[in-house]
Amino acid sequence: MKNFAPRVPGCWKKAVATTFLVSVLASTAACSGATQTATKIEPSASAAPLADLLPADIKAKGSIIVGTQPDFEPANFTPIGENGVKGFNIDLMDAMAAKLGLKVTYQKVPFDQLLVGVQNGKFDASIAGMTDRPGRQEKVDFVDYQVAGTVFMVAKGNPKKITGELNGGCGIKIGGVKGNDDERLVNLMAKACTAEGKPAPELMTFPTGSDKNLALTSGRVDAMFWPDMAVSVVQRETGGKLESVPVNFEEKVFLGMIFNKQAPQLRDAFLKATEAIHEDGTYDEILKKWDVTVIDLPTPGINLAK
């Protein structure tokens, strides 16, 4: 929802409007630890060729544990009154796992626990739209399957006259979530502002994305960074009280599933499964279903961020 992202090639910039990621998605701590077994997509009868790519223990078990964070609609979230997880990331993971003959158990944790959970073996993998960054690649491996941009969400009418330039929010308060990319972006802004003798923006951190939203709508903060694919969701959830401002200083970034660096065979098997759902049209169908074609990455890959 982590340090220092390389830029996506210019061709992606032309494909969709510039905005940022989220990597920064945080999750509801109250949901931490709950699990839900995926049943929507059963392992495919034709999975045998790809299943042979799996590590022997995973293939024999026929299932994996995947960490996610449950409070970012439409990517991965738990609807009110339900216990499981839904979203385009969940649908994509289910489809890839089916290609490999696997069932998935999802474990819901706060965003800042996903990387650690993969490192220490609590999860076999994680899917939550995490930004691929060189600093993170030192700890885990990414199978990149999306691109994303970012926007500022601000109060309707943009009363603070915030712009998407590096110096376009000097002195403002920006809401963020622990473990996401907000601190890096605010630091970039702070350097530009102080270089011009202007006050730096202030980052105020909250436990979850919902808390951050509430802080903005109640006026405790002036803006927050938000993924471009979910602008309509936050506008709906806040009753149309917010509007978006494109962030011009942050180019699009790669988002990926993460795997333990000691499990390259599992990582490579999921890359092949990702390619397979591209080839049969499942990937495109899922993005269209959730109205997030803006995140399309036609050619997935491993650790694409440079």
Side-chain angles (χ1 to χ4, degrees):
M1 129 125 193
K2 105 126 54 125
N3 310 325
F4 318 111
R7 302 305 183 230
V8 174
C11 58
W12 296 119
K13 293 176 66 181
K14 298 176 181 177
V16 280
T18 298
T19 31
F20 150 114
L21 139 168
V22 153
S23 68
V24 302
L25 318 169
S27 61
T28 308
C31 295
S32 179
T35 61
Q36 176 71 18
T37 300
T39 57
K40 293 178 294 182
I41 302 178
E42 289 299 323
S44 169
S46 62
L50 288 184
D52 288 343
L53 300 174
L54 291 167
D57 59 334
I58 296 289
K59 182 179 179 181
K61 185 168 59 174
S63 64
I64 56 171
I65 298 173
V66 175
T68 191
Q69 50 88 22
D71 78 336
F72 189 71
E73 186 181 353
N76 20 265
F77 65 103
T78 296
I80 295 174
E82 299 185 24
N83 294 317
V85 284
K86 294 182 177 180
F88 63 80
N89 276 332
I90 305 307
D91 285 355
L92 289 168
M93 173 58 74
D94 288 346
M96 289 181 279
K99 291 289 186 183
L100 294 164
L102 298 174
K103 291 186 178 181
V104 183
T105 296
Y106 292 100
Q107 186 155 355
K108 302 185 291 187
V109 299
F111 189 83
D112 62 346
Q113 294 181 21
L114 294 175
L115 189 146
V116 174
V118 169
Q119 283 184 287
N120 65 23
K122 183 177 182 180
F123 318 127
D124 297 301
S126 172
I127 190 166
M130 184 174 288
T131 308
D132 180 356
R133 300 200 182 283
R136 285 175 168 169
Q137 292 173 13
E138 297 175 1
K139 301 175 182 178
V140 295
D141 282 334
F142 285 80
V143 173
D144 295 317
Y145 63 102
Q146 301 172 4
V147 288
T150 208
V151 298
F152 278 123
M153 296 304 300
V154 300
K156 197 76 173 179
N158 193 9
K160 295 287 186 175
K161 305 304 179 187
I162 297 166
T163 74
E165 308 307 317
L166 267 175
N167 61 353
C170 299
I172 67 172
K173 293 182 179 179
I174 299 175
V177 173
K178 183 180 180 181
N180 66 23
D181 224 28
D182 296 330
E183 184 175 1
R184 182 183 65 85
L185 295 172
V186 171
N187 286 341
L188 290 174
M189 296 174 63
K191 289 179 181 179
C193 291
T194 55
E196 297 178 5
K198 299 177 182 178
E202 176 187 356
L203 177 64
M204 297 181 65
T205 303
F206 299 92
T208 71
S210 298
D211 295 325
K212 179 174 71 171
N213 297 351
L214 179 60
L216 179 54
T217 56
S218 65
R220 293 175 60 194
V221 299
D222 304 309
M224 64 181 182
F225 293 108
W226 200 253
D228 55 356
M229 92 273 291
V231 169
S232 61
V233 174
V234 73
Q235 287 175 327
R236 184 188 73 232
E237 291 181 345
T238 57
K241 296 179 180 178
L242 305 179
E243 64 182 64
S244 62
V245 177
V247 172
N248 298 327
F249 60 85
E250 178 74 353
E251 297 187 24
K252 284 188 173 289
V253 294
F254 293 109
L255 307 183
M257 300 170 281
I258 59 173
F259 295 86
N260 191 294
K261 293 191 77 68
Q262 304 306 311
Q265 190 174 352
L266 181 62
R267 175 203 67 195
D268 292 350
F270 266 88
L271 175 60
K272 292 298 184 183
T274 309
E275 293 170 348
I277 65 171
H278 272 274
E279 291 169 3
D280 70 9
T282 303
Y283 178 93
D284 290 338
E285 291 174 4
I286 291 171
L287 267 54
K288 289 177 182 177
K289 168 188 171 182
W290 290 96
D291 193 24
V292 290
T293 56
V294 68
I295 68 173
D296 180 28
L297 177 60
T299 305
I302 295 172
N303 296 333
L304 295 179
K306 305 300 179 185

